[in-house]
Amino acid sequence: MPIATVNPANGETLKTYEAMGEEELGRRLQLAQATFRTYRTTAFAERARLLNRAADLLDEEGPQIARVMTTEMGKPVRQARAEAAKCAKAMRWYAGHAEALLADEEPSEADVKDSGASRALVRYRPMGPVLAVMPWNFPLWQVVRFAAPALMAGNVGLLKHASNVPQTALYLEDLFHRAGFPEGCFQTLLIGSGAVDDLLRDERIKAATLTGSEPAGRAVASTASQMIKKTVLELGGSDPYVVMPSADVDRAAEVAVTARVQNNGQSCIAAKRFIVHTDVYDRFAERFTEGMKALKIGDPLEEDTEIGPLASERGRGDLEELVDDARRGGASVLCGGERPDRPGWYYPPTVLAGVTREMRIHREEAFGPVATLYRAADLDEAVLIANDTPFGLSSNVWTRDEAEVDRFVRDLEAGGVYVNGMTASHPAFPFGGVKRSGYGRELSGHGIREFCNITTVWHGA
């Protein structure tokens, strides 16, 4: 795949870039290693000053980089501006909390004495250069949620971004450089996916994080495991959105629209499977379908556009195949389901009912604005349908019954359970999944410690 900016609203190639050669990659790896030796000893206050400066710059430049993101991958520009603001917020959160999150931990006096020590502690130390393999769908946020904690922990970062967002990738390197981080603290590597394996095998890379597809995760995890290197994987999702009779059904249907079509439906944590109790199914289906139909499709650079194009022609083709397979299998198309007659890689908000286990869309992630509706007879069936997926990233539950909430929290196989609301990431809360949605956690204290050497320090009596 070429490294290029191709506007998904019209298919026009705007900029192309040459992939870095072996010599340049080697230079950058050497620089990362050398920078880490000194950067790891900087004080938290200095790291925080630099990260806060990066946040200030991002706030100032938010409108400009938002337009770049929209031009590269098609998200509505209002959502792109919100993404930039969210990144600045996360930077400030880690700048303000990292020192406390990584403070030395002291065991109890009794345990210290029992170990035969005069004193003991646990210290979090940075690991070194970390490779980040990142996707195009949230081209700023996916990177910042790795970079902010990694830099505050004293690590340095090397970014292999998706090949269709090179301008955003280069902007991130420039942002951290202009904020004052030492050269080599954060570098963008303009390379294809075929170069990742060699990077993982390089001894200068100490760990890796990937957000992306299941095949990409398998490839990175396989090589990293051979090299015995730590990895964090955030992969696909087919999140359930369960609505029970006690819920505010109208509100649940309203939020469901946003939960499904955020980022043009191209989000791992978007709700994709809507599992509704039979007592309120018809009402929810009607309200939800009305909301999906009402969304405005248009130029993503226009302020009132709610649905822009998908990021690539191939992505649209994959989505169409899933919908066509479901239609052939007997699913009902309540709205959408047909490619609009216009330039660009657009696909309309689509609702499918009558989906069965035999259909591909039941097992595979639909990466676009396509929702599937399921009818559940009771809570037990709702849980069964929700868990009948290879993925387990997050989940959404709508109910006013606390006993039902307890059951869902206990039984849903997911990294998060959001009650009476939609899944959203926040720097204070850990984010990640189970099953084929990956392992490890990003954000919060859990995320910043993923790439730390957890060190026991023991002093004899």
Side-chain angles (χ1 to χ4, degrees):
M1 181 178 181
I3 300 173
T5 296
V6 181
N7 187 344
N10 56 27
E12 181 184 356
T13 299
L14 302 177
K15 285 191 176 183
T16 58
Y17 297 83
E18 290 293 325
M20 291 176 178
E22 287 187 17
E23 184 177 341
E24 176 63 9
L25 276 179
R27 186 190 73 79
R28 285 174 175 258
L29 285 168
Q30 194 63 28
L31 177 60
Q33 185 182 52
T35 300
F36 173 68
R37 294 193 189 103
T38 53
Y39 180 70
R40 67 185 180 86
T41 65
T42 57
F44 279 107
E46 173 62 6
R47 298 175 200 167
R49 183 186 70 81
L50 297 172
L51 196 58
N52 278 321
R53 176 57 181 152
D56 291 342
L57 289 170
L58 186 52
D59 273 338
E60 293 169 12
E61 299 161 2
Q64 291 76 36
I65 189 57
R67 292 183 69 85
V68 172
M69 284 192 284
T70 294
T71 301
E72 290 200 304
M73 53 70 58
K75 73 173 68 215
V77 71
R78 287 186 301 168
Q79 295 180 27
R81 288 198 300 270
E83 180 175 339
K86 182 176 183 176
C87 290
K89 177 180 177 179
M91 289 178 182
R92 293 191 179 96
W93 191 89
Y94 271 109
H97 290 80
E99 185 170 11
L101 293 172
L102 298 180
D104 290 347
E105 296 177 7
E106 296 187 4
S108 70
E109 227 176 276
D111 285 338
V112 172
K113 182 178 180 181
D114 188 59
S115 75
S118 60
R119 60 191 179 97
L121 58 88
V122 175
R123 176 162 294 172
Y124 295 96
R125 296 188 294 159
M127 298 178 72
V130 180
L131 174 66
V133 182
M134 294 289 114
W136 47 261
N137 56 337
F138 292 94
L140 275 185
W141 172 242
Q142 303 281 13
V143 178
V144 167
R145 75 183 191 191
F146 143 74
L151 291 169
M152 284 304 301
N155 293 305
V156 301
L158 293 157
L159 170 64
K160 187 279 180 231
H161 217 324
S163 293
N164 61 331
V165 289
Q167 292 185 70
T168 305
L170 291 169
Y171 170 81
L172 283 159
E173 179 181 76
D174 184 57
L175 175 72
F176 288 116
H177 176 73
R178 286 184 290 118
F181 281 93
E183 186 183 10
C185 266
F186 186 93
Q187 299 180 79
T188 287
L189 308 179
L190 290 182
I191 54 174
S193 57
V196 171
D197 190 79
D198 286 343
L199 282 174
L200 290 168
R201 295 181 186 279
D202 194 293
E203 290 296 338
R204 290 167 290 192
I205 298 289
K206 301 304 180 186
T209 179
L210 176 140
T211 298
S213 68
E214 186 182 336
R218 289 181 185 275
V220 165
S222 176
T223 300
S225 67
Q226 294 174 40
M227 303 304 296
I228 316 183
K229 292 181 180 180
K230 174 73 177 289
T231 54
V232 170
L233 303 181
E234 193 264 279
L235 308 178
S238 191
D239 291 1
Y241 189 103
V242 183
V243 182
M244 300 298 287
S246 66
D248 180 339
V249 176
D250 290 341
R251 176 62 179 160
E254 178 186 0
V255 174
V257 173
T258 303
R260 175 62 282 229
V261 303
Q262 59 177 315
N263 207 45
N264 300 335
Q266 301 164 119
S267 170
C268 296
I269 59 168
K272 299 182 176 78
R273 298 176 299 125
F274 296 83
I275 303 160
V276 187
H277 192 283
T278 188
D279 290 352
V280 293
Y281 177 91
D282 291 339
R283 181 176 166 192
F284 177 89
E286 180 182 0
R287 301 289 194 279
F288 179 52
T289 303
E290 288 174 353
M292 293 284 277
K293 283 181 180 178
L295 293 166
K296 181 178 179 181
I297 303 172
D299 182 344
L301 288 172
E302 296 291 335
E303 289 294 326
D304 60 348
T305 292
E306 295 171 297
I307 299 289
L310 298 188
S312 70
E313 188 172 16
R314 178 180 175 181
R316 181 174 66 175
D318 291 344
L319 194 65
E320 286 178 318
E321 288 181 10
L322 290 180
V323 173
D324 291 344
D325 174 79
R327 184 187 280 119
R328 288 192 299 269
S332 302
V333 181
L334 303 187
C335 70
E338 298 292 340
R339 178 190 297 193
D341 183 16
R342 62 182 300 162
W345 301 316
Y346 289 87
Y347 197 80
T350 299
V351 180
L352 302 177
V355 173
T356 65
R357 298 187 79 249
E358 292 71 34
M359 298 172 187
R360 287 178 54 199
I361 201 166
H362 179 78
R363 305 184 305 274
E364 300 177 28
E365 180 179 21
F367 219 57
V370 175
T372 53
L373 280 174
Y374 297 81
R375 188 189 296 266
D378 52 28
L379 185 149
D380 289 335
E381 187 176 19
V383 170
L384 189 66
I385 297 170
N387 288 340
D388 189 23
T389 173
F391 301 107
L393 194 52
S394 189
S395 61
N396 311 260
V397 174
W398 288 76
T399 176
R400 293 189 178 104
D401 186 323
E402 285 303 316
E404 289 181 347
V405 171
D406 289 343
R407 275 288 309 278
F408 284 120
V409 171
R410 186 192 74 182
D411 293 342
L412 288 178
E413 297 168 352
V417 180
Y418 286 71
V419 181
N420 297 327
M422 59 178 274
T423 300
S425 53
H426 185 282
F429 305 123
F431 179 83
V434 297
K435 300 197 288 189
R436 292 187 188 175
S437 288
Y439 53 75
R441 291 296 180 264
E442 297 177 290
L443 304 177
S444 77
H446 297 278
I448 198 171
R449 297 184 194 109
E450 286 282 8
F451 296 118
C452 286
N453 176 358
I454 304 172
T455 309
T456 297
V457 182
W458 186 96
H459 296 262

